[in-house]
Amino acid sequence: MSNPFGPLTNADLLPHGPLRRIGTHALLRETVDSTNLLLLAQAADLPDGTIASAEFQTAGRGRLGRRWVAPRGASLLLSVLLHEAEPATLTSTITLMTAVAACEAIEQLTDCTPRLRWPNDVIIGRRKVGGVLAESRAIPGRRAVIAGIGLNCLQHAAHFPAELAGRATSLDLESTEPVHRGPLAARLLECLDAWVANYDRYATEIRRAWHARCADFGARLTLVHDGQQFEGTALDIADNADLILQLDQGGRRHFAATTTTRIP
Ligand code: BT5
């Protein structure tokens, strides 16, 4: 095993068991703009299952133009490239699979209990410990689907910018045990590989696994869609990962993650 406090290595990221799909190749960087961008840019030339990892991102990406910020060496900053035939049905469920895989790795290797917040947050208590960003682009004959995850591992409170105070946390802050990034990365990728290898057969299971960890159902949410605010009670997620909201004004409505923001 690599140095538990050193940078992530190929030994952490490439599969130890039988390769299903994820881990054909790994790009490890000290510094990169964004691991998602790295894979998006080279998507047509890299093999299906390529992993990208960095110790630091200068332009970490969140959803809808937001930023992901993390000090050097404190997080898992990982992205996975998947080549899919069109129509790439994987795009609607890859966020759920990645978030569930992150929870599984945390549950198996730490004493933390992670939960999920629609559409892409991994939380502990009420604080965000990780986030998933799925992106995709057409490449010749196929679609490149990129699943990126940022997971706060070693940060302490002063590492978070002021605007995240009280809203963000790390595994080290939440756990009573030391947190080792290498084994966490390896387990997260193994869990994701298991979901992705058979995702068409796992549609029900993935929804169930996500549902079981979701902190939102039955909770009151305020959503903004198309400049309009909607309030209601979260009921469920649809097969395509839309959130189903029971509106206070009456009726039920589906909201897509790509066009919806939450008011905290
Ligand atoms: C996300 O977006 O949560 C998706 C984050 C995905 C990051 C990974 S890192 C590897 C890969 N490469 C990338 O460039 N991206 C992916 P969103 O739901 O839009 O949340 C973004 C918001 O979370 C920000 O506006 C902040 O409020 C907050 N935030 C930023 N950094 C954070 C952190 N380290 N921990 C907790 N919250 C954070």
Side-chain angles (χ1 to χ4, degrees):
M1 190 171 86
S2 57
N3 171 1
F5 302 108
L8 294 176
T9 66
N10 273 327
D12 299 313
L13 300 178
L14 294 176
H16 296 282
L19 173 70
R20 281 172 279 210
R21 199 163 161 191
I22 293 174
T24 47
H25 186 61
L27 303 178
L28 268 82
R29 297 285 187 270
E30 266 298 318
T31 303
V32 73
D33 48 1
S34 145
T35 54
N36 270 30
L37 278 181
L38 181 66
L39 293 182
L40 273 170
Q42 300 179 46
D45 304 320
L46 290 166
D48 177 71
T50 297
I51 297 161
S53 169
E55 295 299 324
F56 183 68
Q57 296 183 130
T58 56
R61 284 147 73 94
R63 293 191 316 122
L64 307 166
R66 294 191 286 245
R67 297 291 300 272
W68 187 257
V69 288
R72 182 177 298 280
S75 307
L76 297 185
L77 303 169
L78 291 174
S79 301
V80 168
L81 167 68
L82 299 163
H83 287 167
E84 288 284 297
E86 299 273 19
T89 49
L90 179 66
T91 41
S92 59
T93 48
I94 190 68
T95 303
L96 305 186
M97 288 188 271
T98 310
V100 166
C103 288
E104 290 172 324
I106 296 168
E107 288 159 4
Q108 291 168 26
L109 298 185
T110 77
D111 58 3
C112 301
T113 305
R115 309 264 284 154
L116 295 167
R117 198 161 54 190
W118 185 86
N120 64 325
D121 290 351
V122 182
I123 58 173
I124 297 178
R126 297 176 60 83
R127 296 178 183 201
K128 184 159 168 170
V129 71
V132 176
L133 177 66
E135 301 186 87
S136 83
R137 65 168 263 222
I139 55 172
R142 277 173 301 176
R143 178 154 288 272
V145 178
I146 286 125
I149 175 144
L151 188 61
N152 301 331
C153 294
L154 304 176
Q155 285 95 330
H156 281 187
H159 291 123
F160 293 109
E163 67 271 19
L164 293 182
R167 292 172 41 213
T169 191
S170 75
L171 296 177
D172 202 51
L173 282 170
E174 301 293 337
S175 172
T176 58
E177 304 283 337
V179 173
H180 296 308
R181 290 186 306 149
L184 258 176
R187 188 62 59 86
L188 191 161
L189 291 166
E190 270 167 35
C191 292
L192 182 58
D193 191 33
W195 286 113
V196 165
N198 287 301
Y199 74 89
D200 44 349
R201 288 201 290 119
Y202 288 168
T204 311
E205 284 81 351
I206 188 63
R207 249 182 90 229
R208 197 178 293 146
W210 198 91
H211 209 291
R213 294 173 175 85
C214 181
D216 288 329
F217 298 132
R220 309 229 358 110
L221 299 188
T222 304
L223 304 177
V224 177
H225 176 80
D226 244 348
Q228 215 189 323
Q229 195 159 308
F230 297 88
E231 292 181 9
T233 305
L235 289 183
D236 202 353
I237 45 167
D239 286 344
N240 64 357
D242 283 2
L243 182 80
I244 306 171
L245 196 69
Q246 175 69 53
L247 299 171
D248 290 349
Q249 69 204 49
R252 289 177 183 185
R253 187 170 164 153
H254 288 226
F255 291 88
T258 45
T259 51
T260 308
T261 49
R262 287 177 67 146
I263 306 286

